[in-house]
């Protein structure tokens, strides 16, 4: 049985019986037009195959070949829905056909993107080979359901170095994600150098340093290099500058900026960082400079402007701020993406809103007795009064999706219930040797869930018109993370089922899926990545 994730849509029976050894040695063969794809595939395989991956196309002895081929006539066109991350009027055709024969694995597609997706399937066939080390002769056909298949990471709260981001990009590419959403700013830190506003990163605030001389933000050169690295793997980087709330790091650098108008009776009742007032001239000038620089530094067509959880701002000021953030982004030549709350400033056909929450999804207790049964909430200082205020604040979220659809906008699906990977693992599903780590990880406001729960997510369950779907994006916010190992512990193995849902448009069948994901642990270990050994999975 193949352990490929996402599972290919079709497998032809008309293939001569036989198999080839996964051990290799392997050689990648491609024409000049596909040389960049060949280089990217070679880089993905190198950590695993070592000397078994022969250099370039040099004929240095017998080898099994991965053949990359553009074949417009031999592969049916794909039928993808959603927004193209590369900004194209139509999504790239990523459909592919893969054939395993006696001495080769042939990867055919109509586009270089499709060839690369086929090659990642070939890589998984090799790297997750069964214990007998043989790959059966076969022919596979596959195509994605969603054009936008994203993964968000949060260096604002837990900084990961540029090299660590590259490691995440490689994993995302192996699972056919094509967007890396970088949450670069928040209350905890500002992680991108802004030439027009050097105070944001220079000198670095204490929160942006591990110690003397240890920088915790990306220089403009590092950011550009990350985008090039991702693009070679057909991944688009989408930066997020989270405004007008979540702005404590910006306020630390620019303390003179005034607060936005607050609703009556809120100030002093609950702690919050005052959001920005985009009608203030100095604030507008600073934000304009930030967004202009971010847009100029960004190769891709999208910039995320945040617009979530702006606690302590009037509805009128919030709506005006969101409209101005959109306008500034568009004037700089980029298309804005924002969280679902942005719909309260209006939503038109060119708007993309990221759906993440409604009050029922928050799954919060209503009474003191129910709260007492949620020790993580109690330990986090939650009270019944605070939870009631929280539900009141989030009440408008119950109608955000309706506003977006009625306005003709597009929805990017990131529901907190399943796609927020900062949710802790269920305690009764935690292996003993990882219990201490997993007990520490996970946002305390979310009920811990099993790996199977994440794998049960069905993107078709929302009844959203196909033409108004932008795609799917998993998020991994870093409220409780201390470094790269924590990040990958929450990401792996859950990345597999989400990759499958984003690619195929449906949840995997659990009993069959769990046997496939079990064979991926060796691949993660060979890349030096820590994963959660979920007891529900029969790890091999």
């Amino acid at each position: 049985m193949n352990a490929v994730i996402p599972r290919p849509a079709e497998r032809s029976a008309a293939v001569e019986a036989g198999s080839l050894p996964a051990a290799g040695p392997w050689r990648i063969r491609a024409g000049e037009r596909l040389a960049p794809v060949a280089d990217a595939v070679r880089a993905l395989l190198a950590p695993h195959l070592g000397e078994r991956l022969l250099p370039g196309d040099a004929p240095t002895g017998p080898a099994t070949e991965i053949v990359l081929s553009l074949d417009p006539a031999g592969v049916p066109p794909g039928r993808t829905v959603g927004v193209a991350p590369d900004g194209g009027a139509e999504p790239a055709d990523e459909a592919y056909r893969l054939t395993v024969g006696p001495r080769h694995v042939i990867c055919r597609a109509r586009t270089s993107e499709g060839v690369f997706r086929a090659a990642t399937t070939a890589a998984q066939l090799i790297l997750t080979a069964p214990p007998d080390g043989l790959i059966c002769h076969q022919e596979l056909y596959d195509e994605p359901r969603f054009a936008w298949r994203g993964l968000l990471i949060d260096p604002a709260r837990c900084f990961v170095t540029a090299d660590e981001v590259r490691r995440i990009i490689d994993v995302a590419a192996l699972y056919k994600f094509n967007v890396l959403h970088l949450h670069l700013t928040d209350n905890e830190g500002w992680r991108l150098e802004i030439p027009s506003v050097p105070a944001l990163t220079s000198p670095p605030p204490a929160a942006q340093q591990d110690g003397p001389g240890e920088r915790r933000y990306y220089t403009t050169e590092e950011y550009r290099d990350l985008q090039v690295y991702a693009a070679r793997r057909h991944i688009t980087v989408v930066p997020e500058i989270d405004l007008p709330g979540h702005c404590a790091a910006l306020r630390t650098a620019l303390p003179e900026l005034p607060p936005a108008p607050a609703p009556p009776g809120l100030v002093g009742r609950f702690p919050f960082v005052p959001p920005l007032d985009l009608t203030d001239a100095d604030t507008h000038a600073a934000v304009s400079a930030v967004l202009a620089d971010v847009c100029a530094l960004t190769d891709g067509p999208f910039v995320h402007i945040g617009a979530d959880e702006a606690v302590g701002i009037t509805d009128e000021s919030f709506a005006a701020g969101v409209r101005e953030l959109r306008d500034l982004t568009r004037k700089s030549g980029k298309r804005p993406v924002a969280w679902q709350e942005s719909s309260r400033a209006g939503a038109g056909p060119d708007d993309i809103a990221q759906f993440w929450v409604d009050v029922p999804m928050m799954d919060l207790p209503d009474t003191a007795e129910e709260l007492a049964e949620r020790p993580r909430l109690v330990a986090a200082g939650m009270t019944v009064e605070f939870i009631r205020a929280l539900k009141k604040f989030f009440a408008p979220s119950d109608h955000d999706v309706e506003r977006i659809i009625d306005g003709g906008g597009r929805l990017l699906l990131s529901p907190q219930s399943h796609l927020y990977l900062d949710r802790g693992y269920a305690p009764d599903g935690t292996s003993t040797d990882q219990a201490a780590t997993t007990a520490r990880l996970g946002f305390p406001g979310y009920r811990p869930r099993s790996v199977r729960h994440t794998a049960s997510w069905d993107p078709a369950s929302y009844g959203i018109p196909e033409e108004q779907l932008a795609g799917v994006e998993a998020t991994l916010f870093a409220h409780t993370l201390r470094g790269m190992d924590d990040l990958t512990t929450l990401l792996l193995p859950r990345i597999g089922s989400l990759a499958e849902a984003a690619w195929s448009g449906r949840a995997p069948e659990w009993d069959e899926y769990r046997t496939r994901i079990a064979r991926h642990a060796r691949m993660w270990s060979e890349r030096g990545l820590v994963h959660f050994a979920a007891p529900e999975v029969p790890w091999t």
Side-chain angles (χ1 to χ4, degrees):
M1 183 199 76
N2 290 341
V4 173
I5 296 174
R7 183 181 184 181
E10 299 177 17
R11 178 171 177 168
S12 173
V15 176
E16 182 179 348
S19 59
L20 58 78
W26 291 90
R27 179 187 297 116
I28 299 171
R29 179 158 59 89
E32 185 176 349
R33 289 178 61 189
L34 290 175
V37 176
D39 289 342
V41 175
R42 190 175 290 108
L44 288 177
L45 286 170
H48 306 276
L49 299 182
E51 294 181 354
R52 291 183 290 137
L53 181 61
L54 302 183
D57 293 327
T60 55
T64 308
E65 291 189 326
I66 299 174
V67 181
L68 309 182
S69 174
L70 288 171
D71 186 6
V75 181
R79 301 177 298 277
T80 305
V81 301
V83 173
D86 63 1
E90 296 293 334
D93 190 338
E94 299 173 272
Y96 69 84
R97 191 180 300 281
L98 181 146
T99 305
V100 180
R103 296 296 302 169
H104 56 244
V105 178
I106 303 177
C107 302
R108 300 182 179 93
R110 301 164 66 89
T111 66
S112 60
E113 291 92 338
V115 173
F116 182 73
R117 305 305 173 204
T120 62
T121 295
Q124 286 196 27
L125 285 172
I126 297 166
L127 303 179
T128 64
D132 62 10
L134 297 176
I135 304 171
C136 293
H137 293 176
Q138 57 193 287
E139 184 168 87
L140 307 174
Y141 172 81
D142 206 6
E143 61 178 334
R145 171 64 174 161
F146 293 111
W148 185 303
R149 305 179 301 277
L151 173 66
L152 177 152
I153 60 171
D154 178 16
R157 293 186 176 90
C158 176
F159 186 69
V160 286
T161 67
D163 283 342
E164 290 169 332
V165 175
R166 290 185 184 92
R167 296 173 69 192
I168 295 165
I169 289 170
D170 285 344
V171 173
L174 282 166
Y175 289 100
K176 297 181 173 62
F177 286 87
N178 62 354
V179 172
L180 180 68
H181 176 165
L182 292 177
H183 186 76
L184 292 168
T185 73
D186 214 297
N187 293 328
E188 293 81 356
W190 189 282
R191 307 303 185 192
L192 179 62
E193 181 182 22
I194 303 296
S196 297
V197 192
L200 289 166
T201 52
S202 180
Q208 293 179 199
Q209 300 182 76
D210 286 322
E214 295 186 23
R215 174 174 48 79
R216 298 187 67 197
Y217 63 88
Y218 308 117
T219 66
T220 58
E221 182 178 1
E222 283 177 324
Y223 178 60
R224 289 191 184 280
D225 287 347
L226 284 173
Q227 293 177 86
V228 171
Y229 188 90
R232 288 172 179 160
R233 289 147 181 80
H234 294 281
I235 291 176
T236 299
V237 172
V238 176
E240 181 182 353
I241 305 299
D242 199 353
L243 301 169
H246 289 274
C247 59
L250 186 148
R251 288 196 171 283
T252 298
L254 304 173
E256 70 280 2
L257 300 182
L266 187 63
V267 176
R269 186 179 174 196
F270 298 109
F272 61 87
V273 176
L276 299 176
D277 179 6
L278 269 293
T279 65
D280 171 71
D282 290 341
T283 303
H284 188 276
V287 171
S288 298
V290 166
L291 287 179
D293 276 2
V294 172
C295 290
L297 290 168
T298 299
D299 298 331
F302 298 98
V303 168
H304 202 298
I305 57 173
D308 65 315
E309 298 180 318
V311 182
I313 190 172
T314 63
D315 293 344
E316 296 77 11
S317 181
F318 175 74
V322 170
R323 287 192 289 267
E324 189 60 28
L325 291 169
R326 287 172 176 165
D327 287 346
L328 290 170
T329 304
R330 288 179 175 129
K331 286 175 183 176
S332 291
K334 302 298 180 183
R335 186 173 176 184
V337 184
W339 297 101
Q340 67 183 67
E341 293 96 321
S342 63
S343 65
R344 301 167 207 173
D350 196 43
D351 290 315
I352 300 174
Q354 194 162 357
F355 167 55
W356 70 282
V357 72
D358 54 37
V359 172
M361 196 188 304
M362 295 173 73
D363 187 25
L364 291 172
D366 291 310
T367 66
E369 292 75 18
E370 291 174 350
L371 177 59
E373 295 174 357
R374 302 277 295 275
R376 297 192 78 181
L377 294 181
V378 175
M382 288 277 193
T383 64
V384 172
E385 181 197 14
F386 184 80
I387 290 171
R388 287 173 181 163
L390 202 60
K391 289 184 176 182
K392 181 178 180 181
F393 173 76
F394 277 98
S397 67
D398 292 352
H399 303 285
D400 286 337
V401 170
E402 179 184 344
R403 277 186 280 267
I404 296 158
I405 291 175
D406 289 348
R410 296 268 202 159
L411 278 161
L412 183 59
L413 300 180
S414 300
Q416 177 197 99
S417 59
H418 292 81
L419 268 64
Y420 267 49
L421 304 185
D422 55 328
R423 182 182 296 273
Y425 292 107
D428 58 354
T430 303
S431 61
T432 303
D433 60 340
Q434 290 187 295
T437 298
T438 53
R440 173 175 57 80
L441 295 177
F443 184 63
Y446 303 154
R447 190 189 298 271
R449 296 289 190 185
S450 66
V451 170
R452 183 173 186 173
H453 170 82
T454 303
S456 70
W457 182 66
D458 180 5
S461 64
Y462 301 91
I464 296 165
E466 182 177 282
E467 65 275 10
Q468 289 189 261
L469 285 170
V472 170
E473 186 169 289
T475 73
L476 210 174
F477 288 102
H479 299 88
T480 61
L481 306 190
R482 297 176 183 172
M484 182 70 168
D485 287 353
D486 284 354
L487 188 159
T488 62
T489 297
L490 289 178
L491 182 63
L492 307 173
R494 294 190 288 197
I495 192 174
S497 63
L498 298 180
E500 189 143 317
W503 179 269
S504 70
R506 60 185 179 276
E509 194 282 313
W510 171 252
D511 286 337
E512 183 274 335
Y513 166 78
R514 64 196 282 269
T515 64
R516 280 186 287 134
I517 195 67
R519 298 227 305 258
H520 286 239
R522 177 166 58 90
M523 186 169 72
W524 304 330
S525 295
E526 289 172 352
R527 303 190 78 86
L529 302 175
V530 177
H531 73 280
F532 172 57
E536 312 122 284
V537 176
W539 302 102
T540 56

